[in-house]
Amino acid sequence: MQIDLNIYLLIIGMAWVTAWSRSFFLILGEHVKVPDWALEAIRFAPLAAMVAILAPEIFLPASASSVAQFNLRLPNIWGGVAAIIAFYLTRKMLITLIVGMGVFTAARFWL
Amino acid sequence: MTSEQKRAFIEGFKEMSRFGVTILTWGFVTGIAMAKSSLTVHQALTMSLLVYAGSSQLAALPLITVGLPIWMILITSFMVNLRFVIFSLGLQAHFSYLPMWRRILLGYMTADFSYFFYIKRYPTPQSTSERHADKDHVRLYWLIGMQFSNWALWQVGSIAGIFLASQIPNSWGLEFAGAIALLAIIIPMLDRAAARWAALAATVVAVATYGLPFRLNIVLAIVAALIVGMVTDRTPRWVAP
């Protein structure tokens, strides 16, 4: 029971953290004018964030804890590269998923 | 909503929905991870609906299982969310005129995808005079439309994942499908040399620093991409007076 309540407290706390971090500078409102150079500088931030989420999923094993676990026999690398090529050529999500998962699964059997 | 606002909302909703497969897959993967953790179904559903932050949920699950104190898990959540602090700087320039509660709600609803598409369509904030001319706040309603679609698709995926988790064998490697789906959003963004260099820098740094705690590799990758992006960008930034 005690543990149960703690989990719900934690969930509310995490929702609060989401709201707080995502509106961190928004909360300041018109008190602060964000300088143009800062806006200029963060142009590539959203692209970089998504790449940073994706890249380790392709180049490291699922349960990896560090870059030391990189090796060319990982099926994700081959599946990922195949998916990138498939998307470049076709721009079709379904084909990309089938090719990527197909090569990934095949590589898991043979490598 | 005025008719202009409704139009912008629907347009934003449709824009985000084009990437439905990607968002559903990410939600689904998060839902499965929650269902396979120590959370009950009710707790997992509550977490999905209230927290609405996939990466911080995924980071919290193992910490909940080992029974870490709440404050340590909350600090971890914040650290994992650091990229959103950077995004909020971008949004502040566009929406600082809104009342406080709307700013907080707008921030809370702005996950990766909605910020990504918003800043792609509207790189620079409106000037004061432009904003006064734009009585319907078209940009705001376009963003809200995207946020609504993003939220709904992610929740559908996540809730489906919670309920279907026991039917999906681990051996399918479904997390990897989530990664592949993300390509559909990233690759079209690599349309300029500077963007490609920035993405390459982010890749190298994110993988090389993967061992760091709190997903700090994402923040370092962003910093590296910003530097490389600025250096390689050939578009003139300062026009001579």
Side-chain angles (χ1 to χ4, degrees), chain A residues 4 8 13-15 18 20-22 25-27 29-30 32 34 40-41 43 46-48 50-51 54 56 60 65 67 76 93 101 108, chain B residues 42-43 50-52 74 78 81 85 88 92 96 103 107-108 110 113 116 171-172 176 179 181 184 199 203 207 210-211 225-226 233 237:
Chain A
D4 211 35
Y8 287 104
M14 284 176 70
T18 306
W20 183 50
S21 53
R22 284 190 188 155
F25 285 102
L26 268 167
I27 291 171
E30 297 195 294
V32 174
V34 180
E40 181 74 25
R43 267 179 322 158
L47 171 66
M50 293 216 198
V51 170
L54 174 66
L60 295 174
S65 53
V67 66
N76 345 359
M93 194 59 238
M101 288 307 282
R108 285 208 299 183
Chain B
H42 186 256
Q43 288 166 348
L50 292 184
V51 180
Y52 183 46
L74 291 182
F78 183 75
N81 273 353
V85 174
S88 79
Q92 197 269 356
S96 60
R103 273 181 273 136
Y108 171 72
T110 308
F113 298 137
F116 192 67
S171 63
W172 284 10
F176 194 64
T203 302
V207 173
Y210 195 63
L226 300 188
D233 198 349
R237 239 162 294 154

Short mmCIF file of all heavy atoms in Angstrom, two decimals, chain A residues 4 8 13-15 18 20-22 25-27 29-30 32 34 40-41 43 46-48 50-51 54 56 60 65 67 76 93 101 108, chain B residues 42-43 50-52 74 78 81 85 88 92 96 103 107-108 110 113 116 171-172 176 179 181 184 199 203 207 210-211 225-226 233 237:
data_model
loop_
_atom_site.label_atom_id
_atom_site.label_comp_id
_atom_site.label_asym_id
_atom_site.label_seq_id
_atom_site.Cartn_x
_atom_site.Cartn_y
_atom_site.Cartn_z
N ASP A 4 2.58 1.54 -3.25
CA ASP A 4 1.60 1.93 -4.26
C ASP A 4 1.42 3.44 -4.30
O ASP A 4 1.48 4.06 -5.35
CB ASP A 4 0.28 1.25 -3.90
CG ASP A 4 -0.53 0.93 -5.13
OD1 ASP A 4 0.08 0.60 -6.17
OD2 ASP A 4 -1.75 1.05 -5.05
N TYR A 8 2.28 6.58 -7.33
CA TYR A 8 1.41 7.64 -7.86
C TYR A 8 1.99 9.02 -7.58
O TYR A 8 1.89 9.93 -8.40
CB TYR A 8 -0.02 7.49 -7.32
CG TYR A 8 -0.71 6.32 -7.99
CD1 TYR A 8 -0.89 5.11 -7.32
CD2 TYR A 8 -1.12 6.40 -9.31
CE1 TYR A 8 -1.47 4.03 -7.95
CE2 TYR A 8 -1.71 5.32 -9.96
CZ TYR A 8 -1.88 4.13 -9.26
OH TYR A 8 -2.44 3.07 -9.90
N GLY A 13 4.86 13.65 -9.82
CA GLY A 13 6.12 14.38 -9.84
C GLY A 13 6.74 14.40 -11.22
O GLY A 13 7.24 15.43 -11.69
N MET A 14 6.68 13.26 -11.91
CA MET A 14 7.27 13.18 -13.26
C MET A 14 6.48 14.03 -14.24
O MET A 14 7.06 14.65 -15.15
CB MET A 14 7.34 11.73 -13.73
CG MET A 14 8.46 10.93 -13.08
SD MET A 14 8.46 9.20 -13.58
CE MET A 14 8.99 9.35 -15.29
N ALA A 15 5.14 14.08 -14.08
CA ALA A 15 4.33 14.94 -14.94
C ALA A 15 4.72 16.40 -14.71
O ALA A 15 4.85 17.19 -15.66
CB ALA A 15 2.85 14.74 -14.64
N THR A 18 7.97 17.05 -16.43
CA THR A 18 7.76 17.22 -17.88
C THR A 18 7.33 18.64 -18.19
O THR A 18 7.90 19.32 -19.05
CB THR A 18 6.68 16.25 -18.40
OG1 THR A 18 7.00 14.93 -18.02
CG2 THR A 18 6.56 16.33 -19.92
N TRP A 20 7.57 21.32 -16.37
CA TRP A 20 8.58 22.31 -15.96
C TRP A 20 9.73 22.37 -16.95
O TRP A 20 10.15 23.46 -17.38
CB TRP A 20 9.08 21.97 -14.55
CG TRP A 20 10.06 22.94 -14.00
CD1 TRP A 20 9.93 24.30 -13.96
CD2 TRP A 20 11.33 22.63 -13.42
NE1 TRP A 20 11.03 24.86 -13.37
CE2 TRP A 20 11.91 23.85 -13.02
CE3 TRP A 20 12.02 21.44 -13.17
CZ2 TRP A 20 13.16 23.91 -12.41
CZ3 TRP A 20 13.26 21.50 -12.55
CH2 TRP A 20 13.82 22.72 -12.19
N SER A 21 10.25 21.21 -17.35
CA SER A 21 11.40 21.24 -18.26
C SER A 21 10.99 21.72 -19.65
O SER A 21 11.74 22.45 -20.29
CB SER A 21 12.08 19.86 -18.33
OG SER A 21 11.16 18.87 -18.63
N ARG A 22 9.80 21.34 -20.09
CA ARG A 22 9.39 21.75 -21.44
C ARG A 22 8.95 23.21 -21.51
O ARG A 22 8.83 23.77 -22.60
CB ARG A 22 8.25 20.86 -21.94
CG ARG A 22 8.74 19.49 -22.36
CD ARG A 22 7.67 18.73 -23.06
NE ARG A 22 8.07 17.36 -23.29
CZ ARG A 22 7.24 16.35 -23.45
NH1 ARG A 22 5.94 16.57 -23.39
NH2 ARG A 22 7.68 15.14 -23.67
N PHE A 25 12.03 27.96 -20.15
CA PHE A 25 12.24 29.36 -20.52
C PHE A 25 10.94 30.07 -20.84
O PHE A 25 10.84 31.29 -20.72
CB PHE A 25 13.21 29.47 -21.70
CG PHE A 25 14.64 29.22 -21.32
CD1 PHE A 25 15.25 28.00 -21.59
CD2 PHE A 25 15.38 30.18 -20.65
CE1 PHE A 25 16.57 27.76 -21.22
CE2 PHE A 25 16.69 29.95 -20.27
CZ PHE A 25 17.28 28.74 -20.56
N LEU A 26 9.92 29.29 -21.23
CA LEU A 26 8.60 29.89 -21.50
C LEU A 26 8.03 30.54 -20.24
O LEU A 26 7.32 31.53 -20.31
CB LEU A 26 7.64 28.81 -21.98
CG LEU A 26 7.51 28.56 -23.48
CD1 LEU A 26 6.77 27.26 -23.72
CD2 LEU A 26 6.78 29.70 -24.16
N ILE A 27 8.33 29.96 -19.08
CA ILE A 27 7.80 30.48 -17.82
C ILE A 27 8.26 31.93 -17.61
O ILE A 27 7.53 32.74 -17.06
CB ILE A 27 8.22 29.57 -16.64
CG1 ILE A 27 7.49 28.23 -16.75
CG2 ILE A 27 7.94 30.22 -15.30
CD1 ILE A 27 7.97 27.17 -15.77
N GLY A 29 8.45 34.24 -19.66
CA GLY A 29 7.56 35.17 -20.36
C GLY A 29 8.31 36.34 -20.96
O GLY A 29 9.41 36.19 -21.49
N GLU A 30 7.72 37.53 -20.86
CA GLU A 30 8.31 38.68 -21.55
C GLU A 30 9.38 39.39 -20.74
O GLU A 30 9.91 40.40 -21.14
CB GLU A 30 7.19 39.64 -21.98
CG GLU A 30 6.26 38.95 -22.97
CD GLU A 30 5.35 39.90 -23.72
OE1 GLU A 30 4.48 40.49 -23.07
OE2 GLU A 30 5.50 40.03 -24.94
N VAL A 32 12.23 38.27 -20.22
CA VAL A 32 13.52 38.01 -20.86
C VAL A 32 13.35 37.98 -22.36
O VAL A 32 12.43 37.35 -22.88
CB VAL A 32 14.09 36.65 -20.38
CG1 VAL A 32 15.36 36.32 -21.13
CG2 VAL A 32 14.35 36.69 -18.88
N VAL A 34 15.03 36.63 -25.59
CA VAL A 34 16.06 35.70 -26.01
C VAL A 34 16.86 36.34 -27.14
O VAL A 34 16.29 36.78 -28.14
CB VAL A 34 15.45 34.38 -26.53
CG1 VAL A 34 16.54 33.41 -26.97
CG2 VAL A 34 14.60 33.75 -25.44
N GLU A 40 19.63 31.58 -33.21
CA GLU A 40 20.44 31.13 -34.35
C GLU A 40 21.18 29.84 -33.99
O GLU A 40 21.21 28.89 -34.75
CB GLU A 40 21.43 32.26 -34.69
CG GLU A 40 22.34 31.99 -35.86
CD GLU A 40 21.60 32.10 -37.18
OE1 GLU A 40 20.57 32.81 -37.24
OE2 GLU A 40 22.07 31.48 -38.12
N ALA A 41 21.75 29.85 -32.78
CA ALA A 41 22.59 28.72 -32.37
C ALA A 41 21.79 27.44 -32.21
O ALA A 41 22.28 26.36 -32.53
CB ALA A 41 23.31 29.06 -31.06
N ARG A 43 19.26 26.34 -33.81
CA ARG A 43 18.51 25.88 -34.97
C ARG A 43 18.60 24.38 -35.20
O ARG A 43 17.64 23.74 -35.60
CB ARG A 43 19.01 26.58 -36.23
CG ARG A 43 18.24 27.83 -36.59
CD ARG A 43 18.84 28.42 -37.82
NE ARG A 43 20.30 28.27 -37.77
CZ ARG A 43 21.09 28.29 -38.82
NH1 ARG A 43 20.59 28.45 -40.02
NH2 ARG A 43 22.38 28.16 -38.68
N PRO A 46 16.73 20.48 -32.48
CA PRO A 46 15.76 19.37 -32.58
C PRO A 46 16.25 18.24 -33.48
O PRO A 46 16.06 17.07 -33.15
CB PRO A 46 14.50 20.02 -33.14
CG PRO A 46 14.88 21.38 -33.58
CD PRO A 46 16.14 21.76 -32.90
N LEU A 47 16.89 18.58 -34.59
CA LEU A 47 17.45 17.55 -35.47
C LEU A 47 18.48 16.72 -34.71
O LEU A 47 18.45 15.48 -34.73
CB LEU A 47 18.09 18.21 -36.70
CG LEU A 47 18.91 17.28 -37.61
CD1 LEU A 47 18.03 16.25 -38.28
CD2 LEU A 47 19.67 18.10 -38.66
N ALA A 48 19.38 17.42 -34.00
CA ALA A 48 20.44 16.73 -33.27
C ALA A 48 19.86 15.82 -32.19
O ALA A 48 20.34 14.70 -31.99
CB ALA A 48 21.39 17.75 -32.64
N MET A 50 16.97 14.25 -32.14
CA MET A 50 16.40 13.02 -32.72
C MET A 50 17.48 12.09 -33.22
O MET A 50 17.38 10.87 -33.04
CB MET A 50 15.48 13.39 -33.87
CG MET A 50 14.30 14.12 -33.35
SD MET A 50 12.87 13.68 -34.29
CE MET A 50 11.89 15.04 -33.81
N VAL A 51 18.51 12.66 -33.84
CA VAL A 51 19.62 11.83 -34.30
C VAL A 51 20.29 11.15 -33.10
O VAL A 51 20.65 9.97 -33.15
CB VAL A 51 20.65 12.68 -35.09
CG1 VAL A 51 21.91 11.88 -35.37
CG2 VAL A 51 20.03 13.16 -36.39
N LEU A 54 18.27 8.27 -32.03
CA LEU A 54 18.28 7.17 -33.01
C LEU A 54 19.63 6.45 -33.12
O LEU A 54 19.68 5.22 -33.15
CB LEU A 54 17.87 7.72 -34.39
CG LEU A 54 17.96 6.74 -35.56
CD1 LEU A 54 16.94 5.62 -35.40
CD2 LEU A 54 17.74 7.46 -36.89
N PRO A 56 22.35 5.63 -31.30
CA PRO A 56 22.76 4.49 -30.46
C PRO A 56 21.90 3.25 -30.68
O PRO A 56 22.38 2.13 -30.52
CB PRO A 56 22.61 5.02 -29.03
CG PRO A 56 22.65 6.50 -29.17
CD PRO A 56 22.00 6.79 -30.48
N LEU A 60 24.61 0.52 -31.51
CA LEU A 60 24.98 -0.22 -30.30
C LEU A 60 23.92 -1.28 -30.01
O LEU A 60 22.76 -1.12 -30.40
CB LEU A 60 25.10 0.75 -29.12
CG LEU A 60 26.22 1.80 -29.20
CD1 LEU A 60 26.13 2.78 -28.05
CD2 LEU A 60 27.59 1.14 -29.24
N SER A 65 25.84 -0.46 -22.56
CA SER A 65 26.08 0.59 -21.58
C SER A 65 27.20 1.52 -22.03
O SER A 65 27.38 2.59 -21.47
CB SER A 65 26.43 -0.03 -20.22
OG SER A 65 27.48 -0.94 -20.38
N VAL A 67 30.13 2.65 -25.52
CA VAL A 67 30.53 2.55 -26.92
C VAL A 67 31.44 1.34 -27.14
O VAL A 67 31.61 0.86 -28.25
CB VAL A 67 31.22 3.86 -27.37
CG1 VAL A 67 32.53 4.07 -26.62
CG2 VAL A 67 31.45 3.87 -28.87
N ASN A 76 21.60 -4.73 -35.67
CA ASN A 76 20.98 -3.39 -35.82
C ASN A 76 21.69 -2.55 -36.86
O ASN A 76 21.05 -1.75 -37.54
CB ASN A 76 20.95 -2.54 -34.56
CG ASN A 76 21.22 -3.26 -33.28
OD1 ASN A 76 21.42 -4.47 -33.28
ND2 ASN A 76 21.24 -2.53 -32.21
N MET A 93 7.33 4.64 -45.90
CA MET A 93 7.54 4.15 -44.54
C MET A 93 7.40 2.63 -44.47
O MET A 93 8.20 1.95 -43.84
CB MET A 93 6.51 4.82 -43.62
CG MET A 93 6.81 4.66 -42.16
SD MET A 93 8.42 5.34 -41.73
CE MET A 93 9.20 3.92 -41.06
N MET A 101 13.49 -4.29 -40.98
CA MET A 101 13.25 -5.40 -40.07
C MET A 101 13.67 -6.73 -40.72
O MET A 101 14.15 -7.63 -40.03
CB MET A 101 11.77 -5.47 -39.67
CG MET A 101 11.32 -4.37 -38.72
SD MET A 101 12.34 -4.20 -37.22
CE MET A 101 11.73 -5.57 -36.23
N ARG A 108 20.38 -11.37 -37.66
CA ARG A 108 20.40 -12.03 -36.36
C ARG A 108 20.61 -13.54 -36.50
O ARG A 108 21.17 -14.18 -35.63
CB ARG A 108 19.09 -11.76 -35.62
CG ARG A 108 19.04 -10.35 -35.06
CD ARG A 108 18.17 -10.26 -33.85
NE ARG A 108 16.80 -10.64 -34.17
CZ ARG A 108 15.81 -10.60 -33.29
NH1 ARG A 108 16.04 -10.23 -32.06
NH2 ARG A 108 14.59 -10.95 -33.65
N HIS B 42 -2.83 -0.28 -14.16
CA HIS B 42 -3.39 1.02 -13.80
C HIS B 42 -2.30 2.09 -13.66
O HIS B 42 -2.44 3.22 -14.13
CB HIS B 42 -4.19 0.89 -12.50
CG HIS B 42 -4.91 2.15 -12.14
ND1 HIS B 42 -4.46 2.99 -11.14
CD2 HIS B 42 -6.02 2.72 -12.65
CE1 HIS B 42 -5.28 4.03 -11.06
NE2 HIS B 42 -6.24 3.89 -11.96
N GLN B 43 -1.18 1.70 -13.04
CA GLN B 43 -0.06 2.64 -12.89
C GLN B 43 0.53 3.01 -14.25
O GLN B 43 0.86 4.16 -14.51
CB GLN B 43 1.02 2.03 -12.01
CG GLN B 43 0.64 1.94 -10.54
CD GLN B 43 1.55 1.03 -9.75
OE1 GLN B 43 2.35 0.27 -10.32
NE2 GLN B 43 1.45 1.08 -8.44
N LEU B 50 -0.38 10.95 -17.89
CA LEU B 50 0.04 12.17 -17.19
C LEU B 50 1.47 12.60 -17.53
O LEU B 50 1.73 13.78 -17.70
CB LEU B 50 -0.09 11.98 -15.67
CG LEU B 50 -1.49 11.85 -15.10
CD1 LEU B 50 -1.44 11.77 -13.59
CD2 LEU B 50 -2.37 13.03 -15.54
N VAL B 51 2.39 11.66 -17.57
CA VAL B 51 3.79 12.05 -17.73
C VAL B 51 4.08 12.44 -19.18
O VAL B 51 4.71 13.45 -19.45
CB VAL B 51 4.74 10.93 -17.27
CG1 VAL B 51 6.19 11.36 -17.44
CG2 VAL B 51 4.47 10.59 -15.81
N TYR B 52 3.59 11.65 -20.13
CA TYR B 52 3.69 11.99 -21.56
C TYR B 52 5.11 12.39 -21.94
O TYR B 52 5.35 13.46 -22.49
CB TYR B 52 2.69 13.12 -21.89
CG TYR B 52 2.65 13.51 -23.34
CD1 TYR B 52 2.60 12.56 -24.35
CD2 TYR B 52 2.66 14.85 -23.71
CE1 TYR B 52 2.57 12.93 -25.67
CE2 TYR B 52 2.62 15.24 -25.03
CZ TYR B 52 2.57 14.27 -26.02
OH TYR B 52 2.54 14.64 -27.33
N LEU B 74 13.14 11.71 -9.92
CA LEU B 74 12.71 12.99 -10.50
C LEU B 74 13.90 13.77 -11.08
O LEU B 74 13.79 14.39 -12.14
CB LEU B 74 11.99 13.85 -9.45
CG LEU B 74 10.62 13.31 -9.01
CD1 LEU B 74 9.97 14.25 -8.01
CD2 LEU B 74 9.70 13.09 -10.20
N PHE B 78 14.40 14.94 -15.00
CA PHE B 78 14.76 16.28 -15.46
C PHE B 78 16.00 16.24 -16.35
O PHE B 78 16.04 16.87 -17.41
CB PHE B 78 14.99 17.22 -14.27
CG PHE B 78 15.29 18.63 -14.71
CD1 PHE B 78 14.28 19.44 -15.19
CD2 PHE B 78 16.58 19.11 -14.69
CE1 PHE B 78 14.54 20.72 -15.61
CE2 PHE B 78 16.86 20.40 -15.12
CZ PHE B 78 15.83 21.21 -15.58
N ASN B 81 15.27 15.07 -19.65
CA ASN B 81 14.48 16.06 -20.38
C ASN B 81 15.26 17.32 -20.76
O ASN B 81 14.67 18.28 -21.24
CB ASN B 81 13.28 16.48 -19.54
CG ASN B 81 12.09 15.56 -19.75
OD1 ASN B 81 12.13 14.69 -20.61
ND2 ASN B 81 11.06 15.74 -18.96
N VAL B 85 14.54 21.68 -22.34
CA VAL B 85 14.89 23.00 -21.80
C VAL B 85 15.43 23.87 -22.93
O VAL B 85 15.10 25.05 -23.05
CB VAL B 85 15.91 22.86 -20.65
CG1 VAL B 85 16.39 24.23 -20.19
CG2 VAL B 85 15.30 22.09 -19.48
N SER B 88 12.59 24.93 -25.14
CA SER B 88 11.73 25.96 -24.54
C SER B 88 12.28 27.36 -24.80
O SER B 88 11.54 28.34 -24.84
CB SER B 88 11.53 25.71 -23.05
OG SER B 88 12.66 26.14 -22.31
N GLN B 92 10.01 30.21 -26.37
CA GLN B 92 9.83 31.45 -25.61
C GLN B 92 9.82 32.66 -26.54
O GLN B 92 8.99 33.56 -26.39
CB GLN B 92 10.95 31.58 -24.57
CG GLN B 92 10.69 32.58 -23.45
CD GLN B 92 11.22 33.96 -23.79
OE1 GLN B 92 11.85 34.16 -24.82
NE2 GLN B 92 10.94 34.93 -22.93
N SER B 96 6.07 34.28 -25.88
CA SER B 96 6.19 34.91 -24.57
C SER B 96 4.99 35.81 -24.26
O SER B 96 4.76 36.17 -23.11
CB SER B 96 7.48 35.71 -24.49
OG SER B 96 7.47 36.71 -25.49
N ARG B 103 1.27 29.35 -21.41
CA ARG B 103 2.67 29.06 -21.75
C ARG B 103 3.10 27.72 -21.17
O ARG B 103 3.77 26.93 -21.83
CB ARG B 103 3.57 30.17 -21.20
CG ARG B 103 3.72 31.35 -22.14
CD ARG B 103 4.65 32.39 -21.55
NE ARG B 103 3.90 33.30 -20.70
CZ ARG B 103 4.31 33.71 -19.51
NH1 ARG B 103 5.44 33.27 -18.98
NH2 ARG B 103 3.58 34.54 -18.81
N GLY B 107 4.09 24.46 -23.30
CA GLY B 107 5.38 23.80 -23.10
C GLY B 107 5.20 22.32 -22.81
O GLY B 107 5.83 21.47 -23.43
N TYR B 108 4.29 22.01 -21.88
CA TYR B 108 4.04 20.62 -21.48
C TYR B 108 3.67 19.76 -22.69
O TYR B 108 4.10 18.62 -22.81
CB TYR B 108 2.92 20.59 -20.45
CG TYR B 108 2.40 19.22 -20.10
CD1 TYR B 108 3.16 18.34 -19.34
CD2 TYR B 108 1.15 18.79 -20.54
CE1 TYR B 108 2.69 17.08 -19.02
CE2 TYR B 108 0.67 17.53 -20.22
CZ TYR B 108 1.44 16.68 -19.47
OH TYR B 108 0.97 15.43 -19.17
N THR B 110 4.50 20.22 -25.81
CA THR B 110 5.44 20.25 -26.93
C THR B 110 6.53 19.18 -26.78
O THR B 110 7.55 19.41 -26.17
CB THR B 110 6.10 21.63 -27.06
OG1 THR B 110 5.08 22.62 -27.11
CG2 THR B 110 6.92 21.73 -28.34
N PHE B 113 8.55 15.85 -31.58
CA PHE B 113 8.05 15.98 -32.95
C PHE B 113 7.38 17.32 -33.19
O PHE B 113 7.60 17.97 -34.21
CB PHE B 113 7.08 14.84 -33.28
CG PHE B 113 7.72 13.48 -33.22
CD1 PHE B 113 7.07 12.42 -32.62
CD2 PHE B 113 8.99 13.26 -33.75
CE1 PHE B 113 7.65 11.16 -32.56
CE2 PHE B 113 9.58 12.00 -33.69
CZ PHE B 113 8.91 10.96 -33.09
N PHE B 116 9.94 20.05 -33.41
CA PHE B 116 10.72 19.82 -34.62
C PHE B 116 10.02 20.40 -35.86
O PHE B 116 10.59 21.17 -36.62
CB PHE B 116 10.86 18.30 -34.76
CG PHE B 116 11.86 17.80 -35.76
CD1 PHE B 116 13.21 18.02 -35.59
CD2 PHE B 116 11.44 17.06 -36.85
CE1 PHE B 116 14.13 17.50 -36.49
CE2 PHE B 116 12.35 16.54 -37.75
CZ PHE B 116 13.70 16.76 -37.57
N SER B 171 11.48 -11.55 -28.86
CA SER B 171 12.37 -11.90 -29.97
C SER B 171 12.08 -11.13 -31.25
O SER B 171 12.86 -11.15 -32.19
CB SER B 171 12.26 -13.40 -30.24
OG SER B 171 10.95 -13.70 -30.66
N TRP B 172 10.93 -10.42 -31.30
CA TRP B 172 10.65 -9.67 -32.52
C TRP B 172 11.56 -8.46 -32.68
O TRP B 172 11.68 -7.91 -33.77
CB TRP B 172 9.19 -9.20 -32.51
CG TRP B 172 8.21 -10.28 -32.81
CD1 TRP B 172 8.48 -11.63 -32.89
CD2 TRP B 172 6.81 -10.13 -33.06
NE1 TRP B 172 7.32 -12.31 -33.16
CE2 TRP B 172 6.28 -11.42 -33.28
CE3 TRP B 172 5.96 -9.03 -33.12
CZ2 TRP B 172 4.94 -11.63 -33.55
CZ3 TRP B 172 4.63 -9.24 -33.39
CH2 TRP B 172 4.12 -10.54 -33.60
N PHE B 176 13.42 -1.96 -32.30
CA PHE B 176 14.16 -1.58 -33.49
C PHE B 176 13.23 -1.00 -34.56
O PHE B 176 13.62 -0.10 -35.31
CB PHE B 176 14.94 -2.78 -34.04
CG PHE B 176 15.96 -2.37 -35.04
CD1 PHE B 176 17.02 -1.56 -34.66
CD2 PHE B 176 15.86 -2.77 -36.36
CE1 PHE B 176 17.95 -1.15 -35.59
CE2 PHE B 176 16.79 -2.36 -37.28
CZ PHE B 176 17.84 -1.57 -36.91
N ALA B 179 12.95 2.58 -33.93
CA ALA B 179 14.12 3.32 -34.43
C ALA B 179 14.00 3.55 -35.94
O ALA B 179 14.22 4.66 -36.43
CB ALA B 179 15.40 2.57 -34.10
N ALA B 181 11.34 3.69 -37.72
CA ALA B 181 10.26 4.64 -38.01
C ALA B 181 10.72 6.09 -37.86
O ALA B 181 10.23 6.98 -38.56
CB ALA B 181 9.06 4.36 -37.10
N ALA B 184 11.94 8.28 -40.97
CA ALA B 184 11.02 9.01 -41.86
C ALA B 184 10.93 10.48 -41.48
O ALA B 184 10.56 11.31 -42.30
CB ALA B 184 9.63 8.38 -41.80
N ALA B 199 24.14 16.53 -38.26
CA ALA B 199 23.61 15.21 -37.93
C ALA B 199 24.74 14.20 -37.75
O ALA B 199 24.69 13.35 -36.85
CB ALA B 199 22.65 14.74 -39.01
N THR B 203 25.56 12.10 -34.42
CA THR B 203 25.67 10.64 -34.43
C THR B 203 26.92 10.19 -33.70
O THR B 203 26.87 9.35 -32.79
CB THR B 203 25.72 10.11 -35.88
OG1 THR B 203 24.55 10.54 -36.57
CG2 THR B 203 25.81 8.59 -35.91
N VAL B 207 26.85 8.33 -29.94
CA VAL B 207 27.30 6.93 -29.78
C VAL B 207 28.53 6.86 -28.89
O VAL B 207 28.61 6.02 -27.99
CB VAL B 207 27.57 6.29 -31.16
CG1 VAL B 207 28.20 4.91 -31.01
CG2 VAL B 207 26.28 6.20 -31.96
N TYR B 210 27.72 7.30 -25.11
CA TYR B 210 26.51 6.59 -24.70
C TYR B 210 26.57 6.10 -23.25
O TYR B 210 25.54 5.92 -22.61
CB TYR B 210 26.24 5.41 -25.64
CG TYR B 210 24.86 4.86 -25.51
CD1 TYR B 210 23.76 5.64 -25.83
CD2 TYR B 210 24.64 3.56 -25.06
CE1 TYR B 210 22.47 5.15 -25.70
CE2 TYR B 210 23.35 3.05 -24.94
CZ TYR B 210 22.28 3.85 -25.26
OH TYR B 210 21.00 3.36 -25.13
N GLY B 211 27.79 5.89 -22.73
CA GLY B 211 27.92 5.36 -21.38
C GLY B 211 27.58 6.37 -20.29
O GLY B 211 27.42 6.01 -19.13
N ALA B 225 26.46 19.26 -32.46
CA ALA B 225 25.76 19.55 -33.72
C ALA B 225 25.60 21.06 -33.92
O ALA B 225 25.70 21.55 -35.05
CB ALA B 225 24.40 18.86 -33.72
N LEU B 226 25.35 21.79 -32.84
CA LEU B 226 25.19 23.25 -32.96
C LEU B 226 26.49 23.88 -33.45
O LEU B 226 26.49 24.74 -34.34
CB LEU B 226 24.79 23.87 -31.61
CG LEU B 226 23.49 23.38 -30.99
CD1 LEU B 226 23.15 24.22 -29.77
CD2 LEU B 226 22.36 23.43 -32.00
N ASP B 233 27.64 26.14 -41.94
CA ASP B 233 26.54 26.83 -42.59
C ASP B 233 27.06 27.92 -43.52
O ASP B 233 27.74 28.84 -43.07
CB ASP B 233 25.61 27.42 -41.52
CG ASP B 233 24.26 27.73 -42.11
OD1 ASP B 233 24.12 27.69 -43.35
OD2 ASP B 233 23.34 28.02 -41.34
N ARG B 237 24.76 35.18 -42.68
CA ARG B 237 23.98 35.49 -41.49
C ARG B 237 23.94 37.00 -41.24
O ARG B 237 22.99 37.52 -40.72
CB ARG B 237 24.59 34.77 -40.29
CG ARG B 237 23.60 33.84 -39.63
CD ARG B 237 24.33 32.85 -38.75
NE ARG B 237 25.16 31.96 -39.53
CZ ARG B 237 26.25 31.36 -39.06
NH1 ARG B 237 26.65 31.58 -37.85
NH2 ARG B 237 26.94 30.54 -39.83
#
